[in-house]
Structure formats: structure tokens, C-alpha cells
């Protein structure tokens, strides 16, 4: 499991947006701005979205049966961090509620949405600006 160093941990808890890159069925990148939260205990980044969004629909097993991958990149001035890993869609009510609560702490309170799902990125690679590199 990935653990962020103290500088990285502070950066991913500040109020910033990131870009999420997933792959479309034709293999081309789909890059969109997102808000995300970091779960340090699980080594997981979570994005809430509608189940019908393109980013959620892009989360499909690879042709060889492997797990799809994604990258989250947060930039603020000269500081940046990219979190890469496998991505999955969760419809688990407890995980959705936890993600909404974490989102409210970092960004703002979300309105109820019965179509909400969580995109869970299990991070296995971190790249960062020099001063934050571990």
C-alpha cells in the first residue's frame, strides 16, 4: 500500500481540483477536472460522480481481463502530484456515504443524489514535484 510523505499528504488535503485520466473504449485518454479525497489508511483516492458519467463508464476490465488504470494529477503553482493506480466503480452505500463525508470536509456539502457512485483509485505509483518526492 502506498503511503504519502508529510508534504504530499498536506498537498492532497488542501482544497484543489485535479485531473482524472481514464481510457475510452478505443484506448484514447479521457481527461476531466475532478474533486477527490485521499484515504491515507487505505491508500485510496475517491471521486464521486454519477453512474452514467463518461468517467464511470470508462472503468471497464481490460481486454486481457486486467484491472483498468487511471491517473489523478493535482497542480497548484509549481507544486504537483500524480497518483496512479487501478480504478473501480463502487456502488456500496457505506463507501458512498464515507466519500461524501470526506468530500464535504475538503470541498463542500453535496446534495443527495441516488445516481452517485464512487470511483476508487487504489494508488500504486506516486510522482511529485521535486520537493515533495519521496
Amino acid at each position: 500500500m502506498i503511503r504519502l510523505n508529510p508534504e504530499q499528504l498536506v498537498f492532497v488535503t488542501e482544497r484543489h481540483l485535479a485531473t482524472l485520466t481514464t481510457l475510452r473504449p478505443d484506448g484514447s485518454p479521457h481527461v476531466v477536472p475532478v474533486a477527490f479525497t485521499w484515504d491515507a489508511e487505505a491508500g485510496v483516492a475517491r471521486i464521486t460522480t454519477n453512474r452514467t458519467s463518461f468517467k464511470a463508464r470508462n472503468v471497464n476490465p481490460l481486454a486481457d481481463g486486467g484491472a483498468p488504470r487511471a491517473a489523478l494529477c493535482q497542480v497548484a503553482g509549481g507544486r504537483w502530484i500524480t497518483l496512479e493506480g487501478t480504478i473501480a466503480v463502487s456502488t456500496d452505500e457505506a463507501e458512498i456515504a464515507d466519500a461524501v463525508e470526506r468530500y464535504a470536509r475538503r470541498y463542500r456539502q453535496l446534495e443527495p443524489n441516488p445516481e452517485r457512485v464512487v470511483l476508487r483509485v487504489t494508488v500504486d505509483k506516486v510522482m511529485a514535484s521535486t520537493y515533495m518526492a519521496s
Side-chain angles (χ1 to χ4, degrees), residues 17-99:
L17 294 179
T19 57
L20 172 68
T21 303
T22 56
L23 296 179
R24 294 181 181 100
D26 68 2
S28 63
H30 178 253
V31 183
V32 292
V34 295
F36 76 96
T37 60
W38 175 250
D39 182 339
E41 292 178 20
V44 168
R46 291 188 181 90
I47 300 108
T48 64
T49 190
N50 287 331
R51 69 181 69 245
T52 58
S53 71
F54 282 108
K55 56 187 165 285
R57 290 187 291 165
N58 287 341
V59 180
N60 295 306
L62 302 179
D64 65 3
R69 294 186 61 81
L72 273 168
C73 183
Q74 178 176 290
V75 179
R79 301 181 301 160
W80 63 272
I81 190 167
T82 299
L83 307 172
E84 292 183 24
T86 57
I87 187 167
V89 176
S90 174
T91 58
D92 179 76
E93 293 294 327
E95 185 165 16
I96 293 169
D98 181 60

Side-chain angles (χ1 to χ4, degrees), residues 109-131:
Q109 188 66 45
L110 292 170
E111 295 295 321
N113 178 355
E115 294 298 308
R116 182 172 286 124
V117 295
V118 170
L119 303 181
R120 182 186 338 102
V121 179
T122 303
V123 176
D124 56 30
K125 183 176 182 180
V126 177
M127 297 178 290
S129 50
T130 304
Y131 91 94

